[in-house]
Every structure is written in structure tokens, then in C-alpha cells.
Amino acid sequence: MPYDDRVRLGVQLQPQHAPYPAIRDAVLRLEDLGADLVFNWDHFFPLHGDRDGLHFEAWTMLGAWAEQTERIEFGTLVNCNSYRNADLQADMARTIDHISAKGGQAGRFVFGTGAGWFERDYDEYGYEFGTRGSRLNALGAALPRIEARWAKLNPAPTRRIPVLIGGKGEQKTLRLVAKHADIWHSFVAPDELAHKLEVLRRWCDEVGRDVSEITVSNELDRHGVDLDHADALYDAGVRLFTIGVDGPDYDLAPVRRWLAWRDERNG
């Protein structure tokens, strides 16, 4: 079975250009509205607007979200593998998983990860940028270590932590998705998805896995409600849809409209 076969809506609260109380408030508003997941991103500087504007670190924030929320799942879209030792990532994820477990229920953390790409982060924080290939190779080496560390930790995670991998590269990324992911996230257009899913199916066959076990995730239009685009993604197999919301005001009106569409799709 896939991670979840219902239509679900995730919202990426971009942790830039806003004081933290605005982010805290937006997370609570999203949970109250009924969003399924809330994400941040793993960068050290804003990606647009004032490049030296307000910005906060991702994983520290996730610990706060784990404590302040009760129902919503959450994670980073996506973690940059380069910034932290693989075993440390596993331990951080397990700890946040436990913090988020409330009322006898399992934790709600989703481990979204990728190879990294934002060169300024690397340069200013002293990480080796390398090449796209070397960063993907590092991600490929880290994922088995993360899984092995989860199996050793005491206490263990409260559940099998879902792994989301972002990207669309056919030779490396989709192979990693086939081997390790519960969710595949990309920006692939509806008319490209059939081909990408066929590549993913071939990689799944090679590693002895059924491609139907992997939930397909994609980005909705951030600048309006394009129902035809969303319907085309759904018809192509997407079940987790994400939208981005920028600070400082975090206007959630588009979220309400997409939640109505989600509920209609789920009957």
C-alpha cells in the first residue's frame, strides 16, 4: 500500500521574511483549517525577495512544530543531506518523531530529503558544494545509514518514519526513490509524469519493489487556483499536492480553496 492513497494537501510555509511568531501562528491556523501536512525548507537565507532578509533554520523549527501541533503531519520540503551527518539526521528525526507523538498516537514527522542545490548556503556555512553528481552520491550513501541508525536507536521511532525524496533525475534520483522513499515529490508537468513513473517502475522492478507503494507528490500553482492543472496531475497519479505560502503575512486563502478541492476529490 502507498503511504496514503487519499488526496492530501501539504503547505510549505516558507521560513523567510517573517518574525517567528507569524510562522508559529500560521502553523496553528493550518492545523485548524484541516491541512494534512505543513512543511518548511532547509536553507539559511531567503530564496527570493530580499536575499538578506529575515530567515530561520529548519530543523530547530520542526521541534517546535512537533510540540505545538496535535494532528497535522510535518517535515522539511526538503532537508539538505549535505548539512548534517547522516546518523545525526536519523537521531534528530527520531527525536522529533517522539516529540510529536501525542495522546497515545504515533509520531507525525515526515522525513523529506534531497541532495541540496543552493550554493550560497554551502559557501557561507562552510560546506563543500561539489557537483550535482557528488551531492546525489552523498545522498545515496546517507540513506542506508539513516535507515540503519533508526533500527539501532533506543528508543526506536514510534512508527516507520515516512521518507519523501524530491527530484526527477532518472539515473540517480529515481533509483533512490525506488530503494528508499515512501513519497516521491517533484515539479514534473502532468504530460511528463507517465514517462517518469515508467522509469520509476523500472527501478522498482530492479530493487524488487512495487511502484504502487510510493505516493506521488507534486506542486500546485502558487499563484492561483488552476483546477484543470490539478485535475490533470490527479489523473496522472498524484495524490499529495503541495502549495507554497510566503511570509510575512502567510495568506491562507488559497489553502482554503485547495482544501475544498481536496474534499471534493475524496468524496
Side-chain angles (χ1 to χ4, degrees), residues 237-257:
V238 175
R239 291 298 180 269
L240 174 58
F241 296 82
T242 67
I243 63 171
V245 181
D246 197 9
D249 298 324
Y250 295 113
D251 177 13
L252 301 186
V255 177
R256 293 183 179 91
R257 292 192 288 271

Side-chain angles (χ1 to χ4, degrees), residues 18-267:
Y20 189 73
I23 298 173
R24 180 192 299 120
D25 176 69
V27 172
L28 290 175
R29 288 159 59 203
L30 284 170
E31 183 164 60
D32 288 344
L33 284 173
D36 296 293
L37 298 97
V38 59
F39 297 105
N40 59 17
W41 64 32
D42 190 17
H43 297 291
F44 305 129
F45 302 94
L47 297 186
H48 50 79
D50 179 1
R51 296 304 175 101
D52 293 310
L54 299 176
H55 199 278
F56 290 97
E57 192 275 329
W59 278 84
T60 313
M61 188 183 301
L62 294 177
W65 290 5
E67 190 60 64
Q68 81 172 84
T69 59
E70 300 290 335
R71 178 199 58 79
I72 199 167
E73 290 192 289
F74 63 95
T76 294
L77 195 64
V78 288
N79 168 66
C80 178
N81 176 69
S82 307
Y83 301 160
R84 302 162 193 88
N85 168 281
D87 292 83
L88 174 61
Q89 292 178 56
D91 205 337
M92 293 164 67
R94 180 280 312 258
T95 300
I96 289 173
D97 167 71
H98 275 264
I99 294 170
S100 69
K102 307 278 181 71
Q105 301 298 312
R108 295 169 285 115
F109 177 67
V110 174
F111 181 65
T113 194
W117 63 273
F118 190 39
E119 190 167 2
R120 183 185 181 188
D121 284 347
Y122 288 80
D123 291 345
E124 296 216 27
Y125 276 60
Y127 298 108
E128 181 181 351
F129 187 59
T131 65
R132 182 173 179 272
S134 68
R135 295 192 300 276
L136 280 166
N137 289 341
L139 177 62
L143 285 163
R145 287 177 56 189
I146 290 166
E147 293 165 349
R149 181 58 56 185
W150 280 338
K152 296 176 182 177
L153 287 169
N154 183 17
T158 68
R159 64 172 180 169
R160 183 180 178 278
I161 295 174
V163 174
L164 178 156
I165 295 178
K168 64 176 185 177
E170 297 181 8
Q171 296 306 309
K172 292 186 177 181
T173 301
L174 291 181
R175 184 177 187 180
L176 293 176
V177 171
K179 292 178 68 175
H180 301 284
D182 302 281
I183 309 166
W184 168 50
H185 180 81
S186 78
F187 301 88
V188 173
D191 58 359
E192 298 178 82
L193 268 172
H195 169 71
K196 294 293 184 180
L197 287 170
E198 175 58 23
V199 174
L200 180 58
R201 185 196 62 75
R202 292 199 298 267
W203 282 123
C204 284
D205 289 345
E206 184 167 308
V207 302
R209 191 173 180 203
D210 190 331
V211 71
S212 68
E213 297 174 4
I214 300 170
T215 294
V216 181
S217 172
N218 205 298
E219 177 102 354
L220 290 168
D221 188 346
R222 298 180 184 184
H223 307 293
V225 180
D226 185 343
L227 295 178
D228 290 341
H229 178 73
D231 288 339
L233 287 172
Y234 178 89
D235 291 342
V238 175
R239 291 298 180 269
L240 174 58
F241 296 82
T242 67
I243 63 171
V245 181
D246 197 9
D249 298 324
Y250 295 113
D251 177 13
L252 301 186
V255 177
R256 293 183 179 91
R257 292 192 288 271
W258 284 117
L259 286 171
W261 176 83
R262 175 203 67 185
D263 293 344
E264 180 180 350
R265 273 294 183 177
N266 285 334

